[in-house]
Amino acid sequence: MSLTLGEKLRQAREERGISISEVAEQTRISSLYLESIEKDDYKPLPGGIFNKGFVKSYAKFIGIDEHEALQDYSKIVMQTEGEGELRKYKPEVLTDDRSNGSMIPTIIFAGIILALMTGGILFVVNYIQNQPATPSNTVNTANTSVNVNQAGSNTPAETVPQFDTLRIEFTATQEAIALTTNVDGLAVSDNVAPGTPKVINANKSIRLSYYRGFADMVELSLNGKAIKPPPAPARGNSITFEITKENAAEIWKRGQIAEETATDTSSSAAPTPDVAATVTATTTAAAATPVVTPTSVRATPTPAPKPTAPKPTPAKPTPGASPAATP
């Protein structure tokens, strides 16, 4: 009579002098499972592929052909499958038995949560829609001051600096510009290269003059603030304006050179600073040299001498003649 699978495994283990505990320690299989396999009682085992794995590891450890051992196990499964002696392993999810009866409480609870969330969302949407479209026009004059400039827009008031000194940055944006400056009475003419600002510092006044064709090619800044240059004048070929300590604050607040500040040297009777100096020098030189004009020299007529009548000479009496009567 042939041996069963459990008898073969137990006989091979005993022949090698290996205990059940040693097999369990090396194969990581419970001693209870090993004893059940040797008794051909597979009910305590989990079943399915776990039983096959246990049989294979046990047979391999004690030196029995593992494939032969699996074939013997398959025969046992086929013989006892109808009787229900072997339990096939089925993965199960451990749940609370109290919830297996019905899903109705869970569904009700989920519905309550969903209703609360929906109500909250609708409340928020309704609150947002009922808010006024535009904010109130209330102005807190204690915290905000508004400065209305010439362009008609409301901008926060800026602190006007103290113009102890004047600083102008003149920048040519596209091409070189011939610029004439008069800084505190000293006139200088030079060319300003494009993209390189010309910095001009003065204590009292700065007068600038350049060709009107460059009206849209100039950038200015006064003491660090960008200032809009004046437009080209209606007449004349040059743009001339002067910034002094008196009008610097007004120009700084406006952000542009006013039309009344810019003047036209070609149409104005007042000469430019360098021309005025030339006229003054010429006038001084002319005053030092007397000028003789034709109307300043006149011939003084010499009075003609008056004719004098000859005085009569008395006639000497002739002897023997009677004296003549004297007229």
Side-chain angles (χ1 to χ4, degrees):
M1 181 178 179
S2 60
L3 300 176
T4 62
L5 175 61
E7 293 173 349
K8 291 180 182 180
L9 294 173
R10 183 179 68 254
Q11 182 177 355
R13 177 180 62 77
E14 291 176 350
E15 289 177 356
R16 290 168 176 75
I18 302 174
S19 63
I20 290 290
S21 59
E22 292 179 1
V23 178
E25 182 179 358
Q26 296 296 325
T27 60
R28 304 294 182 182
I29 301 173
S30 174
S31 300
L32 177 63
Y33 292 164
L34 295 176
E35 291 177 356
S36 299
I37 292 173
E38 289 182 354
K39 295 177 183 180
D40 294 319
D41 182 13
Y42 296 97
K43 292 181 180 180
L45 274 66
I49 59 174
F50 291 97
N51 292 3
K52 291 183 179 181
F54 294 160
V55 171
K56 182 178 179 180
S57 299
Y58 190 2
K60 183 178 180 181
F61 179 73
I62 60 178
I64 295 179
D65 187 1
E66 52 194 74
H67 297 289
E68 183 179 352
L70 289 175
Q71 290 178 358
D72 293 341
Y73 174 75
S74 298
K75 293 178 181 179
I76 295 173
V77 172
M78 293 177 63
Q79 292 175 358
T80 59
E81 186 176 6
E83 300 176 1
E85 294 182 357
L86 294 181
R87 179 169 57 92
K88 294 184 179 180
Y89 176 76
K90 294 181 180 180
E92 299 178 355
V93 178
L94 299 179
T95 59
D96 191 357
D97 293 339
R98 292 174 297 179
S99 63
N100 293 334
S102 175
M103 292 293 293
I104 295 177
T106 304
I107 295 175
I108 294 175
F109 181 75
I112 294 173
I113 297 297
L114 181 60
L116 292 175
M117 293 177 61
T118 304
I121 294 174
L122 292 177
F123 175 78
V124 173
V125 172
N126 187 34
Y127 176 79
I128 295 175
Q129 291 178 349
N130 291 333
Q131 292 300 312
T134 58
S136 176
N137 293 327
T138 303
V139 178
N140 186 358
T141 57
N143 298 326
T144 305
S145 59
V146 177
N147 179 27
V148 181
N149 56 16
Q150 290 184 345
S153 60
N154 295 334
T155 58
E158 297 176 307
T159 302
V160 180
Q162 296 294 331
F163 288 95
D164 297 331
T165 59
L166 301 175
R167 176 186 174 88
I168 292 180
E169 293 186 10
F170 183 96
T171 305
T173 59
Q174 298 182 17
E175 55 182 289
I177 297 178
L179 177 66
T180 300
T181 61
N182 188 300
V183 181
D184 294 336
L186 179 61
V188 178
S189 298
D190 58 358
N191 290 331
V192 180
T196 303
K198 177 179 177 60
V199 180
I200 307 168
N201 295 307
N203 294 324
K204 296 181 180 180
S205 64
I206 299 175
R207 187 181 181 91
L208 303 180
S209 180
Y210 53 92
Y211 178 57
R212 61 173 295 165
F214 299 118
D216 297 332
M217 305 179 189
V218 171
E219 292 180 354
L220 295 175
S221 69
L222 174 60
N223 286 35
K225 179 179 179 180
I227 303 297
K228 183 179 179 180
R235 293 179 298 174
N237 293 326
S238 64
I239 299 174
T240 302
F241 59 92
E242 184 175 12
I243 300 177
T244 64
K245 296 178 68 173
E246 288 74 18
N247 64 4
E250 184 65 24
I251 293 175
W252 196 90
K253 289 190 294 184
R254 291 181 177 180
Q256 63 181 5
I257 305 295
E259 294 181 0
E260 58 268 19
T261 306
T263 58
D264 179 15
T265 56
S266 63
S267 61
S268 174
T272 57
D274 49 351
V275 175
T278 305
V279 172
T280 303
T282 306
T283 304
T284 305
T289 304
V291 179
V292 179
T293 60
T295 58
S296 63
V297 180
R298 296 181 180 178
T300 304
T302 304
K306 295 180 180 181
T308 56
K311 295 181 179 180
T313 57
K316 294 180 178 181
T318 302
S322 58
T326 303

